[in-house]
Amino acid sequence: MKPLKLILLPFLKVKKVSDDQIIITQKFIDGVFEYQKYWSGSIVVLLENDNFYNNNLDHILININDLPFEIKIIDLNFLKDCPELQENSIFLISTGFRQNQISKICKQHKIPCIYITEYSLKTRIQIINTTTKNPILRLRRYAWEVSQELKQRKAIAIADGVQCNGVPTYQSYHKINPNPLLYFDTRIAEYMIISSDNLMAKTSECLQKKNLRLIFSGRLIKIKGADHLISVAEHLKQLGVEFEMFICGDGELKETMEKQIIKKGLSDCVKMLGVLEFKTELVPFIQNNIDLFICCHRQGDPSCTYLETMSCGVPIIGYDNEAFVGVVNQSQAGWLVKMNRPDLLAEKIAELNQNRELIMAESYKSLEFAKQHTFEKTFQRRINHIQEIAANKTILC
């Protein structure tokens, strides 16, 4: 039997520059290359065009003709005419309002399909709360999200499988689909994990009671809680903690944060480093220079930040959003504090500063969990899951 063609249909949109060139995120392209390592058949990526940039930090310009897999720019309104629905294919679909109808279409064509989930209804509501000030508009968006959730649950229920990125959506959907899979997103390949010698050197330095080294990396926007970092630093100063805080990333809050650092007299201990290249700059910097990651995320999206930080042997202290709660429960590593309480974050950091053996212990526990969920291992589990569903579907047919 001819190998199945894997059809990837992400919620991600791209900016079409020409017939041959698109702007897309590096992380997504890396992911497709990883699928290709394990998938025996061909791969086709179906994407919709978007004329507007989003605030992702890793955009790249690529020539689609140079890729070893096929990328097609399509209009989902005409998906029924897609030739892949007539072929020996299996669809892997990200959830989203424009994707809710796809499992029904696949079922009509007797094509197996699997959904990928990331944002729970609770998380989507939290994002609305953070980004929408107008109360009437907020209520409309609440209603829209609830309506979409009902449609999404129907779509997932008739799909052949669901792959849940993070604990929140796994808890929401694993009982309504016959083949659920839980996984944790990460870009860390096995060769990138911190070595035992480096971790020993770093934790030994931490125990020497030098300045506690803190970091935040990511988009500098409200839903990531970047606006709370300066407040955490202020509280730490008031508590007499000697520390260095490094803030890596870019976003709409950057200029405001830079002004606050100067205004509040924090320039000696808070440094904004901008966007560091992930593999060659950010990961080595965290592995060699950081004791603790501060996570002020106001919503429970399954950020790859969690596993990527843990793979550097750096434990995380953060708000108790549902995604981080899931990571802490699964790994038994890290510390949770109440949402939107930068003062509590600072108090817990001050406590850990006086008990650095706890930081060291959690560093090793964090690393052990990350080792179980490397980029390669995660993709192998996901591909195995797809192949099992495809095989079962073939037997049933």
Side-chain angles (χ1 to χ4, degrees), residues 159-173:
D160 299 281
V162 61
Q163 296 189 351
C164 303
N165 181 5
V167 172
T169 59
Y170 183 79
Q171 291 178 332
S172 296
Y173 304 130

Side-chain angles (χ1 to χ4, degrees), residues 291-350:
D291 302 311
L292 198 59
F293 187 100
I294 305 175
C295 184
C296 305
H297 292 188
R298 286 190 172 96
Q299 86 300 330
D301 76 285
S303 174
C304 55
T305 295
Y306 300 123
L307 271 291
E308 290 169 0
T309 301
M310 295 167 81
S311 73
C312 296
V314 174
I316 304 169
I317 177 169
Y319 289 153
D320 59 351
N321 70 68
E322 57 179 349
F324 186 44
V325 168
V327 170
V328 171
N329 288 342
Q330 291 278 322
S331 66
Q332 293 298 296
W335 300 272
L336 299 160
V337 301
K338 190 175 180 181
M339 185 76 71
N340 291 319
R341 290 293 300 273
D343 57 321
L344 295 184
L345 276 175
E347 288 175 12
K348 185 62 180 180
I349 292 169

Side-chain angles (χ1 to χ4, degrees), residues 17 25 58 62 163 207 209 275 279 375:
V17 178
T25 65
D58 65 341
I62 62 168
Q163 296 189 351
L207 291 175
K209 300 294 179 112
V275 178
K279 291 183 180 179
F375 193 63

Side-chain angles (χ1 to χ4, degrees), residues 262-281:
I262 296 171
K263 181 179 178 181
K264 297 178 183 296
L266 297 170
S267 299
D268 61 324
C269 55
V270 180
K271 310 293 182 184
M272 296 190 69
L273 303 183
V275 178
L276 302 183
E277 201 284 325
F278 179 70
K279 291 183 180 179
T280 61
E281 296 177 326

Side-chain angles (χ1 to χ4, degrees), residues 222-280:
K222 284 191 175 181
I223 61 172
K224 296 296 185 181
D227 53 323
H228 281 189
L229 293 168
I230 309 304
S231 181
V232 171
E234 276 191 286
H235 282 98
L236 287 173
K237 274 240 175 180
Q238 293 166 6
L239 292 168
V241 178
E242 294 183 352
F243 70 97
E244 295 174 280
M245 180 188 291
F246 302 97
I247 300 172
C248 303
D250 200 356
E252 61 192 34
L253 297 177
K254 179 184 177 182
E255 290 186 13
T256 300
M257 292 170 68
E258 289 173 337
K259 291 176 182 176
Q260 287 180 331
I261 290 169
I262 296 171
K263 181 179 178 181
K264 297 178 183 296
L266 297 170
S267 299
D268 61 324
C269 55
V270 180
K271 310 293 182 184
M272 296 190 69
L273 303 183
V275 178
L276 302 183
E277 201 284 325
F278 179 70
K279 291 183 180 179
T280 61

